[in-house]
Amino acid sequence: MFEGIEFLNKEFFWLFLLLPLAVVWYFFKRQQQTAELKMSSIKGFKVGNSWLPKLRPLLFVLRLLALSFLIVALARPRTSDETTKTKTTKGIDIVMAIDVSASMLAKDLLPNRLESLKNVAGEFIKGRPNDRIGLVEYAGESYTKTPITSDKSIVLRSLRDIKYNTVIEGGTAIGMGLATSVNRLKDSKAISKIIILLTDGVNNSGFIDPKIASELAVEYGIKVYTIGLGTNGMALSPYSILPNGSFQYRRVKVEIDEELLKEIADVTGGTYFRATDNKKLKEIYDEINKLEKTEIEEIKYTTYDEKYRPLILIALGFLLLEVLLRFTVFRSFV
């Protein structure tokens, strides 16, 4: 009955302790309130049994009900409706630079490095609804797959479309991928700007030195998290393309320029991570998610609906009914 109702002045419920005392008092005084006429004999009188005297305690019951509703009204019952509004006070712009060279089809992560990355990165994007995110692809050259946007459906669709292709020049141009990512963020007005740069190889192509690109990132206040993707040792990697368009695989030594990736991260204030399997890759993105928190301001509005007024009207109704019955049906003459 009182679900969702709070009582502002609960101390008034102690008044209910007076009601049992009132009942005791009523029964002790009832005889004194009843008129008596003693007669030696009732012969000659027509005597009938009336039901009204038996119902007279109803007046007292009505008064008790009126008092009960008044006590509950004094306790001031009310309901509340809480509305919460949130707004981003510190937004983050993120560019994910993804290596799409042929080596990303290696099978040391399942089903391969690129597909594993896409699955984990997709969950990362879904978990950041208040940030703007963009995508950059790079191999021997780089280009923007998706400019930074708050529309996550566009970013996720573009992420699913990323695949190895022979259109983009082969190789691994880390400096180009980083420079393109910086270019996407340099005009951003966000308080925090980060790049997540992932590669599985060494910088072996492109005309921009990774260290120069790192200095550009520092100049524009961009933090870079670098991820080296690949197992330790040998990995089943694509070796040559067969006539049907599929790859021939063989075991190849995994070579990642970790020193370069660490330097890029250190210079820009980021962190370097090494992902040797699917689980570790997910843990890395979870860690970045924790490190880069978007500040959200939560504003709560509470609307109160006072419920005591109907209770007072009910109490007055019982009192009026008691008075009406007392001076009509149960009227008495002294």
Side-chain angles (χ1 to χ4, degrees):
M1 177 180 177
F2 295 110
E3 184 178 356
I5 295 179
E6 62 175 341
F7 294 90
L8 193 61
N9 303 319
K10 296 184 179 69
E11 61 274 11
F12 280 102
F13 283 126
W14 289 104
L15 294 176
F16 276 111
L17 296 176
L18 299 176
L19 297 187
L21 297 177
V23 173
V24 173
W25 174 86
Y26 174 78
F27 280 105
F28 270 107
K29 293 294 183 179
R30 184 179 178 187
Q31 295 299 322
Q32 299 177 9
Q33 295 173 345
T34 304
E36 294 183 356
L37 177 62
K38 295 182 179 180
M39 301 180 65
S40 59
S41 175
I42 58 172
K43 291 181 180 180
F45 291 93
K46 185 178 180 181
V47 180
N49 292 325
S50 175
W51 51 270
L52 284 178
K54 296 178 181 179
L55 293 179
R56 190 174 181 82
L58 178 62
L59 299 176
F60 181 68
V61 172
L62 290 173
R63 184 169 298 185
L64 287 181
L65 287 172
L67 289 173
S68 298
F69 276 94
L70 282 174
I71 290 172
V72 177
L74 287 171
R76 199 172 169 184
R78 66 182 184 180
T79 57
S80 59
D81 181 21
E82 191 174 88
T83 303
T84 302
K85 292 184 178 180
T86 60
K87 69 175 183 177
T88 303
T89 57
K90 183 182 178 183
I92 299 176
D93 280 355
I94 303 170
V95 169
M96 303 174 73
I98 300 172
D99 187 344
V100 292
S101 58
S103 59
M104 284 292 288
L105 300 178
K107 297 182 181 295
D108 48 350
L109 277 75
L110 300 176
N112 59 49
R113 293 174 184 172
L114 185 57
E115 291 303 316
S116 177
L117 167 66
K118 287 163 61 175
N119 292 335
V120 174
E123 293 303 314
F124 176 83
I125 293 168
K126 292 175 186 176
R128 305 194 68 91
N130 301 297
D131 300 325
R132 298 195 307 165
I133 298 177
L135 299 176
V136 166
E137 289 186 22
Y138 73 95
E141 55 186 339
S142 66
Y143 71 95
T144 301
K145 179 73 172 179
T146 306
I148 52 174
T149 176
S150 57
D151 191 334
K152 301 303 184 297
S153 62
I154 293 176
V155 181
L156 289 169
R157 186 164 58 249
S158 297
L159 181 67
R160 286 193 296 268
D161 291 341
I162 291 178
K163 56 177 66 71
Y164 170 77
N165 62 75
T166 56
V167 176
I168 190 170
E169 184 181 329
T172 302
I174 295 175
M176 296 285 290
L178 181 55
T180 302
S181 301
V182 170
N183 191 50
R184 295 263 57 96
L185 287 171
K186 65 183 179 65
D187 296 324
S188 167
K189 303 300 182 183
I191 297 175
S192 184
K193 297 174 282 188
I194 72 168
I195 293 170
I196 302 175
L197 185 142
L198 182 141
T199 184
D200 65 346
V202 297
N203 186 67
N204 55 24
S205 60
F207 56 85
I208 298 180
D209 188 283
K211 295 180 180 180
I212 299 297
S214 300
E215 293 173 2
L216 287 173
V218 173
E219 182 179 346
Y220 290 108
I222 301 169
K223 187 188 300 183
V224 183
Y225 290 99
T226 56
I227 302 174
L229 185 61
T231 189
N232 294 312
M234 308 292 285
L236 193 62
S237 305
Y239 175 65
S240 61
I241 300 178
L242 298 174
N244 62 3
S246 63
F247 280 94
Q248 184 177 6
Y249 285 79
R250 71 174 183 179
R251 300 193 69 79
V252 176
K253 181 176 176 57
V254 177
E255 295 181 355
I256 299 174
D257 194 344
E258 291 192 285
E259 290 303 317
L260 174 62
L261 297 179
K262 287 178 182 178
E263 183 178 351
I264 293 172
D266 290 341
V267 167
T268 60
T271 307
Y272 167 70
F273 301 94
R274 178 66 184 272
T276 54
D277 53 39
N278 294 62
K279 181 181 178 183
K280 186 63 177 176
L281 180 62
K282 184 180 186 308
E283 290 174 354
I284 289 170
Y285 272 90
D286 289 341
E287 181 66 20
I288 296 174
N289 196 37
K290 292 176 185 176
L291 290 171
E292 295 294 335
K293 287 292 185 183
T294 302
E295 293 182 9
I296 303 296
E297 181 179 356
E298 186 176 80
I299 305 173
K300 292 185 178 180
Y301 301 92
T302 304
T303 304
Y304 294 102
D305 185 11
E306 301 287 350
K307 300 294 184 181
Y308 66 85
R309 296 180 183 85
L311 298 175
I312 293 176
L313 293 176
I314 293 173
L316 290 175
F318 281 129
L319 287 175
L320 289 174
L321 181 59
E322 184 210 355
V323 171
L324 180 64
L325 292 175
R326 184 181 296 278
F327 289 100
T328 55
V329 177
F330 298 104
R331 69 182 181 277
S332 60
F333 300 93
V334 181

